[in-house]
Amino acid sequence: NQPFALLAGHFLAEEIKNGLPAFGVVAAKNKRVFGKMKKLFAKTLIRLEYSGDIRGVALSASLKNVYALLLGIIDGLGLGLNTKGFLAARAAEEMEEIVKILGGKHITAMGTAGLGDFVTTGFSPHSRNRGVGETIGKTGQPAGKSEGFRSASVFVRRLGKKSKNFPLLVKLAKINTSNRRLSKSDLKKILINY
């Protein structure tokens, strides 16, 4: 019965190192645990909010990495901000619905741990997940692994037949499990035929 908390949010090390603020969520059953966590960061530029939705925060934190990979692939393919914005909106919709299906709250997916962190991770040049996606977009294969790279297929398996309702997630899992180098043409066909 040890109290615990899950800390999630946008914590780009480069920005924190440069004295810029960061924002996160402490998910815990017991709000007193949040109070203790908040005290730990009181003299920093890290601002925290509370959530009792531990499952939703955990799912959101994982899904934003999956979809940040997608935005990196778009960058690597050079498809521009119009495409990136369109697919970011679709990704946010998928994230919200997946979090609900797997037992979290939709408000959590649209909050700091979900949408907020997704935007930060998906658009930051310092993001490992976006960077791995960009490499996939440029070369057809990842130069390294990331949380998002590993998680897409796990979510597809976890959702089972319901995964067909999440075309971007399924496409990312397909890209990540491909046993061959994908050409830019292949990647564009997979992602743009929405």
Side-chain angles (χ1 to χ4, degrees):
N1 286 351
Q2 180 67 29
F4 73 94
L6 175 63
L7 178 63
H10 11 125
F11 302 112
L12 293 173
E14 288 292 321
E15 291 191 5
I16 294 170
K17 183 176 76 175
N18 291 324
L20 297 171
F23 304 88
V25 177
V26 175
K29 288 184 180 181
N30 185 329
K31 203 163 183 176
R32 287 184 303 193
V33 175
F34 165 69
K36 289 178 182 181
M37 292 285 291
K38 197 168 179 178
K39 277 184 185 178
L40 286 173
F41 293 95
K43 294 182 181 182
T44 72
L45 290 173
I46 296 174
R47 301 294 170 253
L48 301 174
E49 58 188 40
Y50 172 75
S51 175
D53 183 16
I54 297 169
R55 179 180 295 273
V57 168
L59 290 167
S60 296
S62 184
L63 282 166
K64 61 90 180 171
N65 289 323
V66 172
Y67 290 108
L69 191 73
L70 165 73
L71 298 188
I73 294 171
I74 297 305
D75 288 339
L77 291 171
L79 292 176
L81 289 174
N82 287 329
T83 303
K84 192 171 179 177
F86 172 77
L87 291 176
R90 296 297 169 264
E93 291 170 1
E94 287 192 14
M95 279 177 53
E96 181 180 19
E97 191 60 29
I98 292 168
V99 168
K100 285 189 330 189
I101 287 171
L102 296 179
K105 297 178 182 173
H106 76 93
I107 191 103
T108 304
M110 292 295 101
T112 302
L115 182 60
D117 200 4
F118 168 57
V119 169
T120 301
T121 304
F123 285 82
S124 170
H126 306 298
S127 162
R128 181 176 56 251
N129 287 288
R130 194 208 61 80
V132 167
E134 184 173 14
T135 301
I136 292 170
K138 287 179 177 176
T139 68
Q141 60 188 29
K145 302 288 188 209
S146 68
E147 301 94 326
F149 188 87
R150 291 182 179 103
S151 300
S153 299
V154 173
F155 277 106
V156 167
R157 281 194 306 273
R158 185 115 189 260
L159 289 164
K161 290 180 182 179
K162 292 179 184 176
S163 67
K164 72 179 188 296
N165 298 319
F166 307 103
L168 292 177
L169 178 68
V170 171
K171 290 174 183 202
L172 285 165
K174 181 179 179 180
I175 290 167
N176 294 352
T177 56
S178 176
N179 291 327
R180 62 182 179 85
R181 181 186 211 116
L182 296 168
S183 70
K184 286 188 175 195
S185 173
D186 291 337
L187 288 167
K188 286 177 184 176
K189 283 178 193 168
I190 292 169
L191 293 175
I192 302 304
N193 292 334
Y194 195 80

